[in-house]
């Protein structure tokens, strides 16, 4: 497996042109998945260029392993192409025949954008052989992305949920609501941090606070048009105003990523952080990166839970190899390796009850050992229009203080 920078530069302003093109010309059809043996044969010798943005060291370890397995099992070469953001990945997907990727690793918000603008080929994910193992009933976010049905235009890859991690000084109180967290911060100023609101982890944490504080949280599941957004979000913004000066560095800056927030906790600069990976604690312990006594927990009302996806490019130069790669990523073997904290520590989207007995036991063992004890309640991310609105209003609110 190789890794490289994009072969061409994508400018932010070009996105509108790409999306306009995509809306005018629907995404190209993929090969007919009815004849899977023919697809597997055609995939041999192919190269799949997978676009990723901001991947972790654990993700890189897993992709190194997956690249070796794809070459061994299917004679497919996996090449990783780094992008600076999810937006530039979408630009690449919309570049038509000039695209330099065959597949992209996308968050739910990017998948929703791709759906809205007809960038993604539809109705193929559920036809992959390993789709049978996916936990559709227990994980609705595998077929919904930011309030929109995916129409099976992207293959679920893993699951994330907002989790609080604290050392012994923090876990004694274990705040289980936004109000309790504010009380903790007042008693321990400067000892809590969450990633920059512009990051996926930071925005998901704030979405969880918003849903906890909103008088009618169901409003967040619908388009923001017609809703009194300011009134709905008023308790949230009051909470944000109150907690900001009590944060790490008095809220003047935020950790730039989950990795940076975890490093603050590991070095003892803070006692508690918000994260978007419920297995980050297990991964930190496996790598001996975190001190003893760090525990994960969450709000009593549940955790914002989301799926991240793999999306095949509409103009993939090796569509058969891309489909085989996507199906391999859904396989029990790949999902078990991915869930191993010593490898990546990314939560599976498979239902162990659908797996063969030994693989089910292995996966359940990893989940029991790696996941923190929480309420177990999953909260959906809000409709993408609310996400867009918060993405604008939160920075405005922070800048005004």
């Amino acid at each position: 497996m190789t890794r490289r920078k994009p072969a061409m530069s994508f400018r932010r302003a070009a996105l509108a042109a790409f999306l306009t093109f995509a809306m005018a010309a629907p995404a190209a059809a993929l090969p007919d998945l009815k004849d899977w043996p023919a697809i597997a044969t055609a995939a041999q010798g192919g190269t799949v260029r997978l676009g990723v943005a901001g991947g972790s060291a654990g993700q890189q370890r897993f992709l190194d392993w997956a690249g070796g397995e794809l070459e061994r099992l299917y004679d497919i070469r996996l090449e990783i192409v780094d992008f600076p953001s999810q937006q530039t990945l979408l630009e690449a997907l919309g570049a038509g025949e000039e695209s330099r990727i065959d597949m992209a690793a996308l968050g739910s918000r990017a998948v929703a954008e791709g759906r809205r603008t007809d960038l993604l080929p539809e109705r193929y994910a559920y036809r992959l052989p390993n789709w049978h193992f996916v936990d559709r009933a227990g994980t609705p976010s595998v077929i919904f992305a930011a309030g929109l049905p995916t129409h099976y235009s992207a293959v679920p890859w893993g699951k994330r949920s907002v989790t609080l991690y604290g050392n012994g000084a923090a876990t004694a109180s274990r705040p289980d609501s936004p109000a309790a967290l504010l009380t903790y911060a007042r008693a321990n100023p400067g000892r809590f941090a969450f990633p920059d609101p512009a990051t996926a982890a930071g925005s998901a944490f704030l979405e969880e606070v918003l849903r906890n504080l909103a008088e009618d949280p169901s409003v967040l599941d619908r388009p923001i048009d017609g809703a009194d957004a300011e009134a709905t979000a008023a308790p949230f913004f009051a909470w944000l105003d109150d907690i900001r000066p009590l944060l790490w560095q008095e809220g003047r800056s935020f950790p730039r990523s989950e990795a940076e927030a975890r490093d603050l906790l590991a070095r003892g600069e803070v006692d508690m952080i918000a994260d978007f990976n419920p297995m980050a604690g297990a991964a930190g312990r496996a790598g001996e990166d975190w001190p003893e006594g760090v525990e994960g927990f969450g709000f009593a009302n549940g955790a914002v839970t989301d799926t991240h996806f793999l999306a095949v490019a509409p103009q993939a130069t090796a569509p058969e190899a891309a489909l085989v790669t996507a199906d391999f990523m859904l396989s029990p073997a790949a999902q078990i390796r991915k869930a191993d904290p010593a490898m990546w520590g990314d939560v599976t989207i498979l239902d162990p009850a659908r797996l063969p007995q030994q693989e089910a036991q292995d996966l359940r063992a990893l989940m029991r050992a790696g996941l923190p004890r929480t309420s177990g309640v999953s909260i959906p991310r809000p409709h993408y229009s609310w996400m867009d609105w918060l993405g604008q209003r939160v920075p405005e609110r922070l800048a005004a203080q």
Side-chain angles (χ1 to χ4, degrees):
M1 189 199 74
T2 59
R3 194 177 195 103
R4 63 183 176 85
K5 297 294 183 181
M8 62 183 295
S9 174
F10 294 101
R11 293 177 297 177
R12 184 179 296 267
L15 180 59
F18 286 141
L19 299 187
T20 300
F21 167 79
M23 293 178 73
L30 295 175
D32 188 353
L33 274 72
K34 290 181 180 178
D35 191 352
W36 185 256
I39 287 177
T41 298
Q44 294 177 7
T47 295
V48 175
R49 300 159 302 172
L50 172 61
V52 300
S56 66
Q59 183 189 72
Q60 178 61 55
R61 283 193 298 271
F62 171 76
L63 290 175
D64 287 341
W65 171 83
E69 290 297 287
L70 285 164
E71 189 164 3
R72 180 178 69 86
L73 296 171
Y74 307 108
D75 191 25
I76 292 173
R77 181 170 174 262
L78 183 64
E79 182 176 282
I80 307 303
V81 184
D82 291 305
F83 285 82
S85 67
Q86 291 275 298
Q87 180 176 321
T88 53
L89 271 176
L90 280 178
E91 293 171 6
L93 285 175
E97 294 181 357
E98 296 182 355
S99 177
R100 294 297 184 266
I101 58 173
D102 302 289
M103 182 185 295
L106 299 176
S108 63
R109 188 172 181 177
V111 170
E113 182 66 19
R115 274 274 296 107
R116 288 172 56 207
T117 53
D118 203 18
L119 277 177
L120 305 177
E122 293 188 353
R123 304 194 181 282
Y124 71 91
Y126 73 99
R127 300 176 70 186
L128 295 172
N130 284 321
W131 177 265
H132 166 74
F133 299 118
V134 173
D135 184 13
R136 286 97 73 187
T139 312
S141 59
V142 300
I143 55 174
F144 283 90
L148 288 182
T150 66
H151 288 182
Y152 306 101
S153 60
V155 180
W157 193 18
K159 188 166 62 174
R160 302 179 291 183
S161 59
V162 172
T163 307
L164 298 174
Y165 289 102
N167 59 23
T171 54
S173 57
R174 296 176 71 92
D176 62 357
S177 68
L181 184 56
L182 180 58
T183 298
Y184 168 84
R186 284 174 172 149
N188 302 273
R191 306 303 296 175
F192 172 62
F194 61 87
D196 193 309
T199 65
S203 62
F205 169 68
L206 293 180
E207 290 160 17
E208 181 169 303
V209 173
L210 171 62
R211 193 174 283 273
N212 269 265
L213 295 177
E215 182 176 350
D216 179 10
S218 67
V219 170
L220 303 173
D221 299 325
R222 303 188 290 272
I224 200 169
D225 292 343
D228 187 349
E230 293 292 345
T232 298
F236 161 75
F237 282 121
W239 179 91
L240 185 62
D241 291 344
D242 287 342
I243 203 169
R244 184 187 183 183
L246 305 172
L247 297 172
W248 174 73
Q249 293 195 349
E250 298 181 340
R252 293 190 299 268
S253 64
F254 296 86
R256 291 168 294 181
S257 64
E258 290 171 284
E260 186 171 311
R262 294 166 192 165
D263 190 50
L264 292 176
L265 183 61
R267 297 200 311 264
E269 290 192 36
V270 298
D271 296 323
M272 191 193 315
I273 61 171
D275 202 285
F276 205 17
N277 183 356
M279 294 191 73
R285 290 189 293 273
E288 299 183 351
D289 298 324
W290 280 12
E292 291 292 328
V294 172
E295 295 183 17
F297 53 97
F299 289 164
N301 287 347
V304 161
T305 302
D306 198 16
T307 295
H308 55 103
F309 298 84
L310 294 171
V312 176
Q315 301 291 344
T317 58
E320 294 87 359
L323 288 167
V324 170
T325 297
D327 188 61
F328 170 76
M329 296 298 189
L330 279 181
S331 69
Q335 288 282 315
I336 289 170
R337 292 286 287 185
K338 185 171 65 69
D340 185 348
M343 173 67 74
W344 182 357
D346 189 55
V347 181
T348 185
I349 43 75
L350 301 188
D351 179 0
R354 292 176 173 269
L355 272 57
Q357 183 177 5
Q358 186 58 56
E359 292 166 322
Q361 290 176 356
D362 292 345
L363 192 57
R364 286 191 177 107
L366 285 169
M367 294 298 99
R368 281 196 300 268
L371 291 174
R373 287 176 291 178
T374 63
S375 69
V377 178
S378 296
I379 300 174
R381 299 195 76 174
H383 189 270
Y384 71 84
S385 58
W386 282 94
M387 296 169 73
D388 291 345
W389 184 78
L390 284 172
Q392 178 180 349
R393 287 288 289 113
V394 167
E396 290 175 352
R397 187 81 170 208
L398 295 174
Q401 291 187 333

